[in-house]
Amino acid sequence: MLSSEEFVLVLDFGAQYSQLIARRVRELNVFSEIEPFNYPIKDIVRRKPKGIILSGGPSSVYEAGAPQIDKALFDLGIPVLGICYGMQLMAYLLDGVVTPSDEREYGAARIFIKNRKDLFANLPEVLNVWMSHGDRIEKIPPNFQIIATSENSPVASMKHKELPLFGVQFHPEVSHTDQGLGILKNFVMGISKARPGWEMKNFIGESIEVIRKRVGKERVICGLSGGVDSSVVASLIHKAIGDQLTCIFVDNGLLRSNEVTEVKKIFGDVLKIDLKVIDAADKFLSDLSGVIDPEEKRKRIGGRFIDVFEEEAKQIKGAAFLAQGTLYPDVIESVSLKGPSSVIKSHHNVGGLPQKMNLKLLEPVRDLFKDEVRKLGQELGLPDPVLKRHPFPGPGLAVRIIGEVTKANLEILRKADAIVTEEIIKSALYNSLWQVFPVFLPLKTVGVMGDERTYESVIAIRAVQSSDGMTANWAELPYPLLNSMSSRILNEVKGINRVVYDISSKPPATIEWE
């Protein structure tokens, strides 16, 4: 990440929410940065963070090979907040007792605050929080005190009596926790004394410097999808290096209706950025022939994208970099970037990339979330039609078709997608939803159309509300809207005789089906 005089350091123990912690801190206009759990003490001392947050993680502190830290961290005088595994590790290293819990807490819980100072200053006595743990602290370390409990956790939060060491068993960073940002604010600004001063315009200025220094006089190819992420990246890089950037939009045959026309209009006519459109649909569909496994789909799509870009790069003198709109949710779900987090699914632009590439990657928004990228786009002056578009997966409709991707299935899904989008826009709900889209299911069900038996496929509609894509709740769409979408799909899309609605939240489901 970029530099800042005052910052909060997040040490990553493998939590899926590590970057969400950093994001919440940045919401307070305080710079934050993630480093792996084994980040050297000497580097922490040298960089002087105002506070340190220990993330959660999937391990148990007493397991062989569990991620550890040097306990000297707690003697630096720097305020430390341990979250979930981070609190358990703090207790374990400072001579407390951590044991497996008889009842695993996962999901909503209530905590009862015993000390409304410091971490819980100016907050209610009872809070609804989000738990996710199988262990608990049986005995707090010497010189610590319990400052909150829950029904299943005798130590829902603790603090050292003299040193600025705090721990919470729950996750204040997720939206499911009441006053979660207030708790983090108390730690960041109240306990750590960090001053707000980091803003998106700072990110732009420092990013431009980094891009110019790294690229030099070479050229950059930007893999443009037409979505928010790659559009913002293209605009940012163009601001940094101007005509050294060429955007390539690949028609992979997996796009929505009119996608190519819209991208040409926005980037060629409005933003005046050098744009090349490559028709590679046949190659992508050939690669996907017979492929059912979603991981294999993503890897083949990622590999083909690189092949296309590198082939085009040969035609552009001095091309050395491939720029992508990779975001942190892509990274954290695909690979263990800075900590031992588990892989959820490979994204075509992260885990789907081949190991050997001739082009060097340039990913200037890799540490940002979608809403932060939209703010960045606003600062850069991008038009609303680009900034307010719902997220669209890099692999396109391929990961919204369960099973094999065929031309026939793609045509069905495109028609259903156009209907869903039209109806959502007509209902004036588009901007209040994070995403809404149809999914093609390879199921055959019996139906009746025109007094005749049918045996056709199924469309599932998915609509979610979210602030960052890391967690999401299914959207309670009005029944008349659901009825309108269903009726139109059944009447206008040949090959579909049943429409269902997905009411799964993330977690445990992901937003996309594959």
Side-chain angles (χ1 to χ4, degrees):
M1 198 65 182
L2 305 178
S3 63
S4 181
E5 290 184 4
E6 288 198 352
F7 78 105
V8 169
L9 176 65
V10 179
L11 293 182
D12 181 12
F13 291 88
Q16 296 300 329
Y17 301 139
S18 291
Q19 186 71 8
L20 189 51
I21 299 170
R23 176 187 173 277
R24 295 294 185 225
V25 175
R26 293 203 295 266
E27 282 183 26
L28 300 170
N29 296 119
V30 174
F31 190 79
S32 58
E33 185 170 326
I34 294 179
E35 293 294 348
F37 67 92
N38 55 358
Y39 193 60
I41 288 287
K42 61 181 179 62
D43 290 332
I44 296 176
V45 172
R46 173 179 56 82
R47 299 187 61 197
K48 300 178 181 178
K50 299 297 289 186
I52 299 171
I53 299 178
L54 311 180
S55 82
S59 303
S60 293
V61 294
Y62 43 76
E63 288 178 351
Q68 299 277 338
I69 55 174
D70 187 336
K71 65 183 297 184
L73 178 78
F74 302 117
D75 297 323
L76 298 178
I78 301 172
V80 179
L81 172 64
I83 295 177
C84 198
Y85 179 87
M87 180 176 84
Q88 294 165 8
L89 184 60
M90 180 187 294
Y92 179 76
L93 293 175
L94 297 178
D95 300 322
V97 178
V98 180
T99 62
S101 177
D102 292 334
E103 293 187 37
R104 185 174 186 270
E105 278 190 302
Y106 181 82
R110 285 195 307 168
I111 64 166
F112 305 92
I113 298 172
K114 294 178 171 294
N115 185 330
R116 296 172 67 201
K117 298 178 181 179
D118 300 321
L119 199 61
F120 297 113
N122 303 313
L123 298 180
E125 293 181 356
V126 180
L127 292 176
N128 294 315
V129 301
W130 187 262
M131 295 278 193
S132 179
H133 65 98
D135 299 335
R136 71 179 189 179
I137 296 173
E138 197 68 35
K139 179 182 176 183
I140 60 175
N143 296 316
F144 274 74
Q145 66 184 88
I146 298 170
I147 57 175
T149 64
S150 75
E151 293 177 355
N152 291 321
S153 293
V155 187
S157 182
M158 67 179 191
K159 63 170 286 190
H160 194 282
K161 294 177 181 178
E162 300 172 359
L163 302 175
L165 305 178
F166 298 81
V168 293
Q169 184 61 76
F170 56 92
H171 290 272
E173 70 273 23
V174 302
S175 59
H176 303 72
T177 293
D178 291 346
Q179 302 292 334
L181 190 59
I183 295 169
L184 291 174
K185 182 178 181 179
N186 283 337
F187 175 75
V188 171
M189 295 180 173
I191 297 167
S192 302
K193 308 299 183 186
R195 293 173 297 180
W198 185 79
E199 298 175 352
M200 192 54 70
K201 61 183 178 182
N202 300 24
F203 181 91
I204 293 174
E206 293 192 37
S207 291
I208 287 173
E209 290 182 15
V210 169
I211 291 167
R212 286 174 178 168
K213 183 176 180 180
R214 187 172 179 215
V215 172
K217 296 182 179 180
E218 295 178 310
R219 293 189 62 84
V220 177
I221 296 173
C222 181
L224 196 64
S225 70
V228 177
D229 311 330
S230 62
S231 299
V232 170
V233 164
S235 183
L236 178 62
I237 295 174
H238 188 254
K239 190 174 181 68
I241 61 173
D243 293 341
Q244 289 174 251
L245 169 70
T246 296
C247 289
I248 295 180
F249 181 73
V250 178
D251 182 357
N252 57 12
L254 308 171
L255 304 173
R256 294 166 290 192
S257 297
N258 301 319
E259 195 86 10
V260 175
T261 302
E262 291 179 13
V263 169
K264 283 182 177 179
K265 181 178 179 181
I266 291 173
F267 286 86
D269 300 341
V270 179
L271 300 180
K272 307 297 183 183
I273 295 177
D274 184 25
L275 175 67
K276 297 181 69 175
V277 178
I278 309 299
D279 184 357
D282 290 342
K283 293 179 180 179
F284 279 88
L285 293 179
S286 176
D287 290 340
L288 294 171
S289 178
V291 178
I292 294 175
D293 180 67
E295 281 293 289
E296 185 63 21
K297 286 183 188 178
R298 290 173 178 273
K299 292 182 185 299
R300 291 197 182 197
I301 291 169
R304 179 57 67 180
F305 264 119
I306 297 303
D307 288 346
V308 172
F309 288 131
E310 291 191 335
E311 186 62 32
E312 287 304 312
K314 294 176 183 177
Q315 315 303 319
I316 301 173
K317 187 176 180 180
F321 290 89
L322 169 63
Q324 297 191 130
T326 304
L327 301 189
Y328 193 80
D330 301 336
V331 174
I332 200 65
E333 288 188 337
S334 297
V335 293
S336 177
L337 177 64
K338 291 187 174 179
S341 54
S342 59
V343 173
I344 296 175
K345 59 186 177 184
S346 294
H347 288 257
H348 82 289
N349 54 344
V350 187
L353 294 178
Q355 292 183 352
K356 292 184 178 180
M357 291 170 47
N358 294 323
L359 294 171
K360 294 171 283 189
L361 280 180
L362 186 62
E363 299 174 314
V365 298
R366 186 183 177 94
D367 288 315
L368 299 184
F369 283 81
K370 180 76 71 175
D371 60 321
E372 292 178 316
V373 169
R374 285 196 172 105
K375 290 178 183 177
L376 175 58
Q378 288 175 340
E379 290 282 344
L380 292 168
L382 284 171
D384 281 352
V386 173
L387 293 178
K388 294 183 178 180
R389 294 193 76 185
H390 286 181
F392 185 64
L397 299 179
V399 291
R400 292 179 179 174
I401 292 176
I402 310 304
E404 184 179 7
V405 178
T406 66
K407 286 186 177 180
N409 293 347
L410 282 166
E411 186 60 24
I412 288 173
L413 188 55
R414 279 195 191 95
K415 291 179 179 178
D417 180 82
I419 291 170
V420 168
T421 302
E422 287 171 13
E423 291 298 319
I424 289 292
I425 291 174
K426 190 190 301 181
S427 71
L429 290 175
Y430 186 88
N431 290 337
S432 66
L433 295 169
W434 178 263
Q435 266 176 287
V436 57
F437 56 88
V439 179
F440 178 88
L441 307 183
L443 304 173
K444 294 288 187 178
T445 71
V446 175
V448 178
M449 291 183 176
D451 295 325
E452 294 184 355
R453 178 185 184 274
T454 62
Y455 193 52
E456 304 287 4
S457 299
V458 180
I459 285 288
I461 295 175
R462 176 75 157 147
V464 298
Q465 292 173 319
S466 178
S467 62
D468 46 49
M470 292 299 287
T471 62
N473 293 320
W474 62 274
E476 298 182 32
L477 297 183
Y479 286 159
L481 174 58
L482 289 172
N483 179 63
S484 178
M485 289 190 293
S486 176
S487 296
R488 284 194 60 190
I489 290 171
L490 293 174
N491 282 291
E492 299 176 29
V493 183
K494 187 176 180 180
I496 299 297
N497 69 356
R498 191 176 300 272
V499 176
V500 299
Y501 189 57
D502 182 351
I503 59 171
S504 310
S505 292
K506 175 186 180 179
T510 53
I511 295 176
E512 298 286 347
W513 278 44
E514 287 194 344

